[in-house]
Amino acid sequence: MTENTQQTPASNPELPTQYAPAEVEGKLYERWVERGYFEADATSDKPPFTVVIPPPNVTGSLHLGHAFEHTLIDALTRRKRMQGYETLWQPGMDHAGIATQNVVERELAKEGKSRHDLGREAFIDRVWQWKGESGGQISGQMKRLGDGVAWSRERFTMDEGLSQAVQTIFKKLYDDELIYRAERIINWCPRCLTAISDIEVEYQDDDGELVSIRYGEGEDSIVVATTRAETMLGDTAVAVHPEDDRYKHLVGKEIELPLTGRRIPVVADEHVDPEFGTGAVKVTPAHDPNDFEIGRRHGLPSLAVMDEHAIITAHGPFQGLDRLEARSTIVGALRADGRIVAEKRPYVHSVGHCSRCKTTIEPRLSMQWWVKVGPLAKAAGDAVRDGQVKIHPQEMEKRYFDWVDNLHDWCISRQLWWGHRIPVWYGPDGEIVCVGPDEQPPSGEGWTQETDVLDTWFSSGLWPFSTLGWPEQTESLAKFYPNSVLVTGYDILFFWVARMMMFGLYAMDGTPPFHTIALHGMVRDQFGKKMSKSFGNAVNPLDWMDKYGSDALRFTLARGANPGVDVPIGEDWVQGSRNFANKIWNATRFALMNGATIEGELPDPSQMSATDRWILSKLNKTVAEVDAFYDDFQFSKLSEALFHFAWDEVFDWYVELSKTTFFAGGEQAKVSGRVLGEVLDVMLRLLHPVVPFVTETLWTTLTGRESVVIADWPKDSGFRDAAAEQEIELVQQVVTEVRRFRSDQGLQPGQKVPAELTLTGTALAPHEAAIRQLLRLQPAGDGFHATASLPVAGATVALDLSGTIDVEAERKRLTKDLDAAEKEKSQANAKLGNEAFLAKAPDNVVDKIRTRLAKADADIARITAQLANLPQN
């Protein structure tokens, strides 16, 4: 199974006594990059494997979510590279319009300036300066983690090539009448002063107030409830359900709108739920998306009563007030006017906040640019339905269809300066001209360019093909598009993934941007709680990497990664993974010191011991198992399989069972040394994609070859030996059972005990020396007296425990434990036999008592067996 033959192995490999991640990780990564291992050649005849990095924000730093996602992608790409694919992991960063502009504006504020003091061009120059000096620190942190990306291909969503791609697709969509300009309700941030996308809105439960207000007088009055009383200044109707008998006499009439002197109509609309509240709703088309649609259906005017800063602009006593100040003032005025029917406070309800600055979002009627998503979304849905693109896990398909089948048109304009400026010019007579990348914009008096920029998701939606040179037909585009797989969180399935699907199918002649969408969950703390600074449970992954090494963090994250499921993580688990890395190190060091080698051909099975054949059979099963789990994106299961094979089967059993062979020397020791070398070689290559640093150090030391990064991925040779597996399973049964007995008798693990082993006629006979070594069993010498006899696996192990334990003290301890268990059983039986108790007790209480009874029975059986096995006086 050793396919890679880059150079001759070192004759006397040596390793330091301890593994020190901080001393090796940085140097190893620099070497990998310098040697170009992660670069991708578009002219290669190897089959391609392409993954894009979900572009982190230029303002960002590595958090546990990044570390988790990058670990999974890196594992996939490292394995594919070893399998012989021309592997491209495409890196890059997103310009993050709002976040980046906010960062630079805060810097300017420290100087007592605003962006308007600089002007647009100077401000943008200042952002580029910030990007060059401070942006992109996450790239260095990705290197710490071990990300095997093609750094020479790194892209930025505002670089020249990607800007050309943005302008090209905007022009194409515009010409195809899939981009238009219209006045609609959008999410507006009064602090950032821009429209923001749905994904940039965070909803949380806030304490507010619900007030019920009476509109109109007498029989012509109607009560509506609202949490945003200030918007009543912009009401242009009250709506009721057409079948609501309570209000049929009012439909078509006008009633007085309090505080304004205006009269507004009562309209009938099926959108209204007659069972909710009073069955009547106020209609404010300029400040609510549902009201806007009601207004369109009934031809109602839209009255904007707030400016972009959420300051009241409606004429009257409330003009100039902030929306929250106006809310309480208006409620007070309504109360004084006898219009308040009911008040409920605090009234907890879900409120949208800007994810950047946490300001409460204001729905606002605004002239914006939009993408008509209908045909694009249909193509994105069809690509999954017809099997062109697979979503993994498959149960996530329903969520995908629920989204793309019900997409609303997408607001793509943002009132920012940092970003891709919309390539549209307005003429002096109302002309609108969209300009492509190779076209000259109109000039002359009165022509101005649109001041808005595009939503960041617009440019990141082009990522799978714009990073490869599109719209130019480059070698990279031909080689590496479509991507093989997209690895990303289910939380952005609806936003980034759907946009890439729409744009990829549209721009690339119906070819979707990737074959498979592999969705993972969110990283949470060890109790399953969302990580947040406000919760005090947020973790900087760099701290854990400093403390335990990057491999330890990676292995912990991969081990928790079940498809589409959230991942809990705690520091204890990372420490446990560090212990695993140390175990690999120490066991490999021991193996190298005791003859493990990859020199020469693997001996014929006829020359091997059953222990050798057993571990090779297990090894090949593990190779097959790990391959199957990789192909199904089961990172948790493949990590578990590797952990248990390495720790349990190789280190705890094979190495221990083979020690007597190694210590004895001779030809059999050479055979086992070659087998152990083979096992380590394959095992380290299997582990490498998940824990790259420790495996690189150990594998190059073991083999003397250049790097495990470019080694061949192991293949299942098909070797199986069921007889050897059964034989070693018998050995394991004997050792496990006797160890359990020793523990029950209070013996220390290293305490030696005289014993007679009757193994004749069983498959265990060849393993007597190993069994004695593992169980610390001395030969039965003169004066041997069997005080305990254990029949197990067809053999008998007789032990002389006289002089090794205080029998009387042990008997007293066990008798006390037995009395306690019998008392527990008696009490449980009494309760379960009491019909009156059973009739009244809740099911969960009865279940707990039954569980206590079962445990008591098990304890009695165990303690009774221990007492019977004690030496007799």
Side-chain angles (χ1 to χ4, degrees), residues 2-10 31-32 35 37 81-82 598 681 685 688 696 699-700 703-713:
T2 304
E3 302 91 355
N4 194 302
T5 55
Q6 298 165 53
Q7 63 186 62
T8 304
R31 185 189 309 159
W32 293 336
R35 293 179 178 178
Y37 293 158
R81 190 177 293 112
M82 295 171 75
I598 65 163
D681 169 23
R685 283 187 278 150
H688 172 72
E696 171 80 339
W699 190 85
T700 52
T703 66
R705 295 173 184 158
E706 184 180 338
S707 174
V708 70
V709 177
I710 53 173
D712 294 326
W713 180 252

Side-chain angles (χ1 to χ4, degrees), residues 361-550:
I361 291 302
E362 190 64 43
R364 184 169 188 257
L365 184 63
S366 179
M367 183 67 75
Q368 302 285 345
W369 285 92
W370 304 80
V371 171
K372 187 184 296 182
V373 300
L376 302 175
K378 182 181 184 303
D382 291 345
V384 175
R385 287 189 172 94
D386 64 20
Q388 286 189 79
V389 178
K390 298 186 184 304
I391 294 179
H392 191 280
Q394 191 173 1
E395 53 265 27
M396 286 284 182
E397 282 186 2
K398 182 180 184 303
R399 295 178 66 178
Y400 176 79
F401 292 136
D402 286 346
W403 179 257
V404 298
D405 293 346
N406 298 285
L407 269 180
H408 299 295
D409 285 0
W410 170 20
C411 176
I412 56 172
S413 46
R414 299 290 179 265
Q415 289 64 56
L416 304 170
W417 287 355
W418 173 244
H420 295 101
R421 193 168 177 180
I422 291 176
V424 167
W425 272 255
Y426 303 110
D429 298 317
E431 304 96 328
I432 298 179
V433 176
C434 179
V435 177
D438 300 322
E439 300 171 351
Q440 290 294 319
S443 57
E445 187 176 347
W447 283 93
T448 59
Q449 186 180 357
E450 169 64 72
T451 57
D452 288 355
V453 301
L454 287 165
D455 177 14
T456 296
W457 295 100
F458 191 94
S459 51
S460 60
L462 315 180
W463 194 247
F465 51 94
S466 63
T467 52
L468 298 173
W470 187 91
E472 301 299 324
Q473 297 304 306
T474 64
E475 286 184 325
S476 290
L477 189 64
K479 178 73 173 181
F480 296 114
Y481 187 90
N483 288 191
S484 306
V485 61
L486 173 74
V487 179
T488 191
Y490 65 70
D491 56 318
I492 55 174
L493 171 65
F494 315 127
F495 305 103
W496 186 46
V497 179
R499 282 152 173 69
M500 286 191 290
M501 286 286 284
M502 290 191 295
F503 281 167
L505 289 159
Y506 175 74
M508 300 301 291
D509 300 321
T511 302
F514 17 73
H515 298 302
T516 302
I517 302 168
L519 298 170
H520 60 72
M522 313 292 288
V523 179
R524 298 183 178 272
D525 73 11
Q526 59 190 333
F527 305 108
K529 190 174 182 180
K530 180 181 178 181
M531 286 192 172
S532 165
K533 289 181 180 178
S534 60
F535 294 154
N537 63 351
V539 173
N540 184 345
L542 297 173
D543 293 341
W544 281 352
M545 286 193 282
D546 288 342
K547 194 170 182 180
Y548 303 111
S550 298

Side-chain angles (χ1 to χ4, degrees), residues 124-140:
I124 291 173
D125 287 343
R126 180 69 177 263
V127 179
W128 278 108
Q129 179 185 341
W130 174 88
K131 192 256 181 187
E133 295 172 354
S134 306
Q137 64 172 317
I138 194 171
S139 296

Side-chain angles (χ1 to χ4, degrees), residues 227-290:
T227 58
R228 300 163 66 217
E230 68 279 9
T231 63
M232 67 162 292
L233 301 176
D235 287 358
T236 56
V238 172
V240 298
H241 192 275
E243 304 301 321
D244 195 332
D245 291 335
R246 293 172 296 177
Y247 304 119
K248 279 188 175 180
H249 70 288
L250 288 176
V251 174
K253 290 185 177 181
E254 290 188 342
I255 58 176
E256 182 183 349
L257 178 64
L259 306 181
T260 65
R262 289 193 291 115
R263 296 183 66 80
I264 58 176
V266 177
V267 299
D269 194 282
E270 292 189 352
H271 168 78
V272 180
D273 180 0
E275 303 299 324
F276 184 77
T278 63
V281 296
K282 59 193 286 299
V283 182
T284 320
H287 294 278
D288 183 275
N290 293 322

Side-chain angles (χ1 to χ4, degrees), residues 287-358:
H287 294 278
D288 183 275
N290 293 322
D291 293 3
F292 177 77
E293 295 300 326
I294 292 175
R296 289 178 63 179
R297 288 193 288 271
H298 296 277
L300 301 173
S302 296
L303 301 181
V305 296
M306 277 178 259
D307 66 12
E308 65 269 23
H309 298 279
I311 301 298
I312 300 297
T313 57
H315 183 70
F318 312 109
Q319 189 174 21
L321 296 179
D322 172 79
R323 57 181 166 167
L324 299 182
E325 185 182 4
R327 181 175 301 170
S328 59
T329 304
I330 288 171
V331 170
L334 290 167
R335 190 183 298 114
D337 200 27
R339 293 286 177 174
I340 300 295
V341 174
E343 296 180 68
K344 183 177 181 180
R345 67 169 66 87
Y347 178 73
V348 179
H349 61 133
S350 182
V351 178
H353 296 260
C354 174
S355 63
R356 301 298 176 192
C357 68
K358 311 309 176 186

